[in-house]
Amino acid sequence: MAEPSSSGDAPFDLDKLQQLVEMMEKHGLSEVHLRRGDEQWRLRRGAREVLQQMPQQQAYYAPPPAMNQPMAQAATAQPAAAAVAADPNAGGPAIKSPTIGTFYATPTPTDPPFVTVGSVVTPETVVCTIEQMKVFNQIQAGVSGTITAILVKSGDAVEFDTPLFRYKT
C-alpha cells in the first residue's frame, strides 16, 4: 500500500517509487514508512491493501508472480473463456483502458477471469487489471451492460484509450 500525502501539488516521483519497491523486494521488507517534512510515503507489499482510489479504477499492489512460473507461461495459462472474441470489430461501444500498462484478464494466473463474454457488468464491476511498474490497477467497467467481446489477451501491452471490451446495454 502506498499512501503518499503532502500538502504540495508536486507530482509523484515514479522513479523513486520504483526504487523503493525494488529495495523492498531485495531486502524482503513488507512495509516501509518514510516521512520528511509534510511529505509521507507508506508502502506495504501484499494484495490486500488499497493504494489509491481514482475514478473508474482502484489500484492494488500485487506480489510478483511465483519465481517458478515465468510471466510468459502465466499469460498463456488463461482459461479458454478468457480468449479474445473472434471479431474484435463487432458492434457496440467499448470499455477502454484508462492508462498504459500490461493487461491481465485474471487476478492471478490460476484464478478465473474477472469477466467473460456474456458477463453482466455494472459501473463498479472489476473487468481486468492493468499493471504499471509492479502496481496492479483494478479497472472497473464504468458502464452497465453485457460483455460482447474481449479485445485483448492477458499479457498484452495497452495504451491509454485502447479498447479492451465491447458491450451492449
Side-chain angles (χ1 to χ4, degrees):
M1 169 171 127
E3 295 175 353
S5 61
S6 173
S7 60
D9 292 329
F12 288 109
D13 186 336
L14 295 179
D15 290 332
K16 283 184 183 177
L17 179 60
Q18 183 176 14
Q19 289 173 350
L20 282 171
V21 170
E22 289 171 359
M23 288 176 64
M24 288 176 70
E25 290 174 353
K26 178 179 177 182
H27 297 288
L29 299 174
S30 60
E31 184 172 342
V32 173
H33 184 194
L34 303 171
R35 182 179 293 174
R36 180 176 59 192
D38 63 349
E39 183 176 11
Q40 174 176 276
W41 289 58
R42 181 181 311 237
L43 292 138
R44 286 190 191 126
R45 292 180 58 203
R48 69 173 183 36
E49 298 293 335
V50 174
L51 281 176
Q52 59 187 337
Q53 192 147 15
M54 300 184 312
Q56 302 295 323
Q57 70 185 33
Q58 294 178 354
Y60 291 88
Y61 177 80
M67 296 302 289
N68 61 353
Q69 185 173 22
M71 287 302 290
Q73 283 181 329
T76 59
Q78 303 304 324
V84 175
D87 183 7
N89 296 319
I95 298 172
K96 296 179 179 181
S97 175
T99 187
I100 62 169
T102 305
F103 171 89
Y104 292 102
T106 63
T108 69
T110 58
D111 285 335
F114 289 103
V115 295
T116 59
V117 172
S119 294
V120 176
V121 298
T122 64
E124 296 81 28
T125 302
V126 174
V127 293
C128 65
T129 58
I130 296 181
E131 176 195 8
Q132 268 186 327
M133 295 177 51
K134 299 181 184 179
V135 175
F136 291 74
N137 298 297
Q138 289 192 336
I139 308 303
Q140 295 176 334
V143 297
S144 293
T146 303
I147 300 295
T148 58
I150 301 171
L151 307 175
V152 292
K153 293 183 271 189
S154 277
D156 283 355
V158 295
E159 299 289 330
F160 180 75
D161 274 345
T162 298
L164 305 173
F165 304 93
R166 295 246 181 245
Y167 70 97
K168 66 179 177 180
T169 55

